[in-house]
Amino acid sequence: MSPTFSTPPDRVLGIIAGGEKAFVRAVEGAEDKEEFGECDLIDVALTANDTVIGIAASGRTPYVRGALRYAKKLGPKRWLYHAIRTRASRKKLI
């Protein structure tokens, strides 16, 4: 985001289930617990002034759902991106 959109580097934070090491090697099971997504947002001190964008290929990954549910409690804007195009995917996920 920073170079392309002239966004200060401290304005955008990427979080992935399993931590930074998961960018290069799978961390099995890291995405299977909702509480892990919540804990990661607690660790970065999420506030109502933030925006949370969850990305889940299936639209129902527990890690992402947990993060978005936690964010809902605090009030920031929330978005979910997924790759499913079915009627069921339009159901309210969180």
Side-chain angles (χ1 to χ4, degrees):
M1 296 290 291
S2 186
T4 303
F5 298 104
S6 300
T7 305
D10 61 341
R11 295 278 315 258
V12 178
L13 175 64
I15 302 171
I16 186 172
E20 282 187 37
K21 62 184 173 254
F23 279 108
V24 294
R25 179 165 291 171
V27 177
E28 293 301 322
E31 75 282 359
D32 296 333
K33 302 270 188 200
E34 286 192 15
E35 58 267 26
F36 291 173
E38 179 177 341
C39 286
D40 282 349
L41 292 184
I42 291 170
D43 287 347
V44 298
L46 182 75
T47 73
N49 295 321
D50 296 317
T51 298
V52 177
I53 301 171
I55 302 172
S58 67
R60 55 187 167 84
T61 304
Y63 177 90
V64 174
R65 289 176 61 116
L68 292 173
R69 282 191 177 134
Y70 175 72
K72 185 177 182 178
K73 293 179 199 175
L74 297 180
K77 292 179 182 171
R78 299 167 324 281
W79 299 85
L80 172 65
Y81 289 96
H82 60 85
I84 304 300
R85 288 182 155 175
T86 66
R87 197 171 262 203
S89 72
R90 295 185 190 128
K91 290 182 182 176
K92 187 174 180 181
L93 297 172
I94 52 171

